[in-house]
Amino acid sequence: MNVMNSKNDVLLEVRGLKKYFDVSEGWFKKEHKYLHAVDNVNLKVRQGETFSIVGESGCGKSTLANIIMNLIEPTEGQIIFDSIDLLTLSKDDLRKKRADMQMVFQNPFSSLNPRMRLFDIIAEPLRTHRNLTKAELSDRVFELMNIVGLDRAYARRYPHEFSGGQRQRIGIARALALNPKLIICDEPVSALDVSIQAQILNLLMNLQKQYNLTYIFIAHGLAVVKHISDTVAVMYMGKIVEKASKNSLFSHQYHPYTKGLISSVPISNPRMRNKPQCVQLEGELPNPVNPPPGCRFHTRCSFATDKCKSEEPALRNITAEHCVACHFPI
Amino acid sequence: MTEKNLLEVIDLKVEFNTDEGRVLPVDGVSFSLNDGETTAIVGESGCGKSLTALSIMGLIDKPGRIVGGKILFEGKDLLCLSKRERHAMRGKELAMIFQEPMSSLNPVFTVGYQIAESILLHQNVDQKEAKKRSIELLKRTGIPRAEKVFDSYPHSLSGGMCQRAMIAIALSCNPKLLIADEPTTALDVSIQSQILDILHSLAKEDKKSILLITHDFGVVAEMADQVVIMYAGQVVEKSDVFSLFDEPKHPYTQGLLRSTPKLSEDVEVLEAIEGIVPNLHNLPKGCYFYPRCKKALPVCANERPDMQTVADGHEVKCWLYYMESSGERNE
Amino acid sequence: MPKNESSNKAHSAVLGTTYEQRLIDTFGRHAKKLFKSKTGIVGLVIMVVVITTAIFAPYLAPHDPTHQDYSAMSQPPAWHEEGTAEYLLGTDHLGRDLLSRIIYGTRISLIVGLVAVILAGTVGMIIGLLSGFFGGICDAVFMRITDAFLAIPSILFALVMLASIGPGVFTLILALGLTNWMAYARLVRGEVLSIRERDFVKAARSIGVSNGKIIVRHILPNVLSSFIVVSALTVATTIIVEASLSFLGLGIQPPTISWGVMLSDGRDYLATNWWIATFPGLAITITVLGIIFIGDWLRDLLDPRSQGEH
Ligand SMILES: Nc1ncnc2c1ncn2[C@@H]1O[C@H](COP(=O)(O)OP(=O)(O)OP(=O)(O)O)[C@@H](O)[C@H]1O
Ligand SMILES: Nc1ncnc2c1ncn2[C@@H]1O[C@H](COP(=O)(O)OP(=O)(O)OP(=O)(O)O)[C@@H](O)[C@H]1O
Ligand SMILES: [Mg+2]
Ligand SMILES: [Mg+2]
């Protein structure tokens, strides 16, 4: 680790980020339709924290992660990482900067090249960015394998010979190889078995402590988010609707959507099963190509008024560390 | 007891003949399901949950084969019936919903057609009546604008809608037993809770018997009366839901319950179960859970335990409970 | 650090053994795989025989393939009543020994088949990789060119080339290569399009691996297996197309011998002296089968999945 930043330094800031996918149909009379996958997202991730993004499928979590990783170009916005605006960097500088930012993917079965051996998979970032001798390289790879709990005897195996959890460890080792400052985890445990999920979560948390890592953690399982995060942002149809420190968010939700999400998680206690739910989420996500005007959640909100249908609420602070985008926070 | 049992599976064994030899992905599974109750089968991926369900439905396909056991449905052994008799039972007495709602509906027919088809197949009604009943069923599963959905093709519906349509098809002939194989795994939490509500009301209001397969203890706590925990093809613990959550006995069940983060409690570090699920081709010599077990005894390494009754209606397959239980070691 | 002994123990129990053992195993498994796949063995035997024949033709051929024995014209094969042991497969209408001609013909036919496919495969692979990976304008341009080539009947194209440049082995290879690459380009492009979206490519990009390396290390190896299968099939069709071009008199020119030339020689005598066309035809069929079998086996061999426990 080079300079140890204090926990309050902002490592990553995203300003006014937008991504509209062009989903126009037809070749000739082109009617332009855009899918607002990420719409005006602002966030600040502090050094050393775990910043979680939760939301239902299709709300734009992965798109946001991919934009931050520079894997897709945003339509508009700024990404400031380590005080540098990434979008103004030249291709070469960007490639170098990438070493500080890594990603762990959701699907452990498609995120590893089936034709590469474990050793080469973990060595790839080192070969790309560092000029190591053969011995240094294999030392580092074995060290990484040790860190994530993989036996060094596995080095020459192919990915298909590993279980899902082991593959996820390989993915984590690859992400750690260059001592990054930020790791984006896109649903790293959703594809894993229950008993393996805890292993991977514990591993991620240990690594964070040890190497002062910053995580952006994407998930749709709220219990997992509650366990691992410091700050949580809730996304709905490309927008952040509520953002707060974990404790504040889980003790009180101001946005009806967040409330609904939390109360729809089944409670692991059979004696509480008939507890009435305060807010039930009804209906389904509207079509993202034609998002509803006003507050995007109004079609499913039981508190919606005329104002919600016409006027879009801005994200505003309720307390110092809790913001919500709702006209009538509850 | 037996009269009350709608379904009783006794020592079911399913065999697969693979390149590397024979495996028993379902190895001596026994459990019962009382009329009007919900039994949940819980276990990790590959432990044989779906195969157990498919065996009950009579849908085990070629490389697989049922090699032992009995499946008693209302007292008669399903495995002794002819192919035609089993076919006639499907849909009418037993119905199943699957994990992937999108791929279990046929993409070239409308949802309505598929529901009406199953009604026409099993009941003596005309087209018009079938359509009327289908729309009622769709409404029953909480679909708004059911008439419109009736004429839609599956691709134009969301996963949640498709799953509702699947439930409607399963209910179309008023089956005595509904098997739901991970009905909510592929869905979002908000949709999951809506689907669970439907199943819940089926169980409570219509007194439907449901065999629910899942790996989520939250779903179990919300839905089940009886719980069956499976590991590597075997049942390791059986109990009613309350005593299972109050006092899980098997180290595997305990581990599973502790390793899932919960909204209601805060823990610093999750207690993970170390290691991985054993490969069916290379099962441990003793208890299958032995290599991962924190409480293992010397005997666990070499001998497989039998099912022990530890409390009324609570059985567990673990050496730890041999001392407590009244039964002798039966070897 | 979660360097958990018990979990490693469990892993080893499941995944087995040490590195050295596994290395030995891997070789063993390749061999086992080959012997298990009966078609693979058959293919291998056929190809070894065909290639040795091509290399050692002068030593194997009982006669000079161009020598015309006027005393034994159109002689049937040895097992026929009128056949003699001197000409095992009989002679053609000019009294040349068919067996020797087939043996010599192996050389040209194999060279034409293999080189033309390598040419077509390389062109198609490059175009497919570039257009699939980079997409956009690059893709549009390359694919329109491909379409244009596809729209021309390939035999016609080859005919025009051969007629304008003049027949010969080199032109034939060029013509066959240039009329066959489109299938590869389409195939490779399709595969690349789906592989490009897989997470491991995203992972490589997020590491900062350059496009060139992504193509070579991540995309190419994953396209290779279907590429090989198609190549084996194309070697087969190329030998046949060579035969038909020669049959039309535009391929290999006598006195050079290829199986195609022999086929075309035999066409006039099909009704009376069936053996003149049948034996070279048989040689083509057997070789093509051998190549297809080998291709299938090679694909399995290259697939790491077939080496593992699963
Ligand atoms: N390349 C693309 N072209 C068009 N639309 C896209 C593209 N990628 C994503 N989308 C759309 O953008 C929206 C957001 O997708 P995204 O993958 O970010 O969702 P997500 O929140 O990650 O969902 P999940 O939980 O299912 O992973 C979706 O409606 C998706 O259909
Ligand atoms: N067609 C098949 N050929 C070989 N093995 C099979 C086949 N189908 C299933 N199996 C094996 O049977 C075992 C049990 O499968 P099953 O589908 O019942 O698991 P499951 O408990 O439903 O898991 P999941 O939670 O992933 O659905 C698995 O280990 C699987 O590998
Ligand atoms: Mg995603
Ligand atoms: Mg299953």
Side-chain angles (χ1 to χ4, degrees), chain C residues 84-143:
Chain C
T84 59
E86 197 186 348
Y87 301 110
L88 270 180
L89 297 181
T91 58
D92 65 5
H93 57 289
L94 294 176
R96 294 175 296 197
D97 177 35
L98 273 183
L99 180 60
S100 309
R101 289 179 69 74
I102 288 178
I103 290 175
Y104 272 93
T106 315
R107 291 181 154 184
I108 293 292
S109 289
L110 267 194
I111 289 177
V112 169
L114 291 177
V115 178
V117 164
I118 290 170
L119 181 67
T122 316
V123 174
M125 180 69 119
I126 291 172
I127 289 186
L129 281 176
L130 294 180
S131 98
F133 188 76
F134 291 105
I137 294 178
C138 169
D139 184 31
V141 170
F142 277 136
M143 280 304 114

Side-chain angles (χ1 to χ4, degrees), chain B residues 13-301:
Chain B
K13 289 194 166 101
V14 178
E15 180 188 271
F16 269 88
N17 235 332
T18 64
D19 289 348
E20 292 125 79
R22 290 170 181 207
V23 289
L24 277 175
V26 176
D27 183 7
V29 166
S30 311
F31 65 91
S32 59
L33 193 151
N34 295 338
D35 202 2
E37 286 196 348
T38 300
T39 294
I41 302 185
V42 191
E44 292 180 88
S45 183
C47 70
K49 308 182 294 292
S50 299
L51 287 179
T52 306
L54 292 173
S55 310
I56 298 169
M57 289 298 288
L59 291 174
I60 293 283
D61 258 341
K62 236 319 146 181
R65 203 158 59 92
I66 296 178
V67 289
K70 286 190 192 133
I71 300 175
L72 303 177
F73 183 75
E74 297 185 307
K76 47 179 200 281
D77 189 354
L78 294 183
L79 299 180
C80 299
L81 298 182
S82 73
K83 262 205 174 127
R84 176 170 301 178
E85 285 169 304
R86 300 223 57 185
H87 188 80
M89 285 187 80
R90 248 173 266 148
K92 217 158 134 196
E93 318 248 334
L94 307 163
M96 183 155 171
I97 43 185
F98 297 89
Q99 176 170 351
E100 282 294 329
M102 295 295 205
S103 56
S104 4
L105 286 169
N106 188 335
V108 301
F109 297 114
T110 63
V111 168
Y113 176 85
Q114 296 183 52
I115 304 173
E117 187 193 22
S118 106
I119 294 178
L120 288 170
L121 204 66
H122 289 285
Q123 290 171 0
N124 212 356
V125 293
D126 61 3
Q127 291 270 350
K128 226 168 144 193
E129 175 67 18
K131 176 166 180 179
K132 210 182 103 211
R133 286 196 197 175
S134 312
I135 290 177
E136 264 165 33
L137 281 166
L138 284 173
K139 283 191 177 139
R140 174 81 190 75
T141 58
I143 294 185
R145 295 172 296 131
E147 288 82 1
K148 194 156 169 264
V149 170
F150 185 88
D151 288 319
S152 324
Y153 285 89
H155 70 88
S156 63
L157 300 178
S158 67
M161 282 296 171
C162 285
Q163 196 57 291
R164 287 170 213 257
M166 278 304 295
I167 296 178
I169 292 177
L171 293 178
S172 62
C173 298
N174 205 12
K176 293 193 181 112
L177 173 65
L178 181 65
I179 302 179
D181 187 357
E182 314 214 17
T184 58
T185 310
L187 306 174
D188 266 321
V189 262
S190 68
I191 312 298
Q192 161 170 317
S193 89
Q194 295 168 8
I195 298 287
L196 286 183
D197 280 347
I198 298 169
L199 291 178
H200 208 260
S201 80
L202 283 175
K204 289 287 139 349
E205 285 154 30
D206 302 2
K207 293 269 173 274
K208 263 260 167 304
S209 312
I210 300 178
L211 181 64
L212 178 73
I213 293 174
T214 177
H215 57 246
D216 182 347
F217 274 105
V219 173
V220 176
E222 207 115 299
M223 291 285 306
D225 298 304
Q226 299 289 326
V227 188
V228 176
I229 312 275
M230 282 183 71
Y231 186 75
Q234 299 195 327
V235 174
V236 295
E237 186 161 2
K238 261 190 298 198
S239 161
D240 69 280
V241 67
F242 296 106
S243 77
L244 187 96
F245 276 88
D246 290 345
E247 267 185 87
K249 295 288 186 192
H250 199 284
Y252 176 62
T253 318
Q254 295 168 350
L256 276 188
L257 278 168
R258 281 200 208 113
S259 64
T260 30
K262 292 171 203 72
L263 273 186
S264 47
E265 7 182 300
D266 282 315
V267 283
E268 267 302 303
V269 184
L270 293 173
E271 268 183 62
I273 306 177
E274 300 299 347
I276 58 174
V277 180
N279 184 329
L280 288 176
H281 292 284
N282 201 351
L283 286 169
K285 183 160 160 263
C287 171
Y288 290 164
F289 189 58
Y290 167 71
R292 306 174 73 185
C293 187
K294 282 186 184 141
K295 300 183 178 171
L297 305 169
V299 61
C300 304

Side-chain angles (χ1 to χ4, degrees), chain C residues 247-270:
Chain C
F247 189 84
L248 293 173
L250 279 160
I252 305 296
Q253 298 300 302
T256 316
I257 310 157
S258 80
W259 294 338
V261 170
M262 296 178 66
L263 263 185
S264 87
D265 283 349
R267 89 191 120 162
D268 295 334
Y269 309 96
L270 274 177

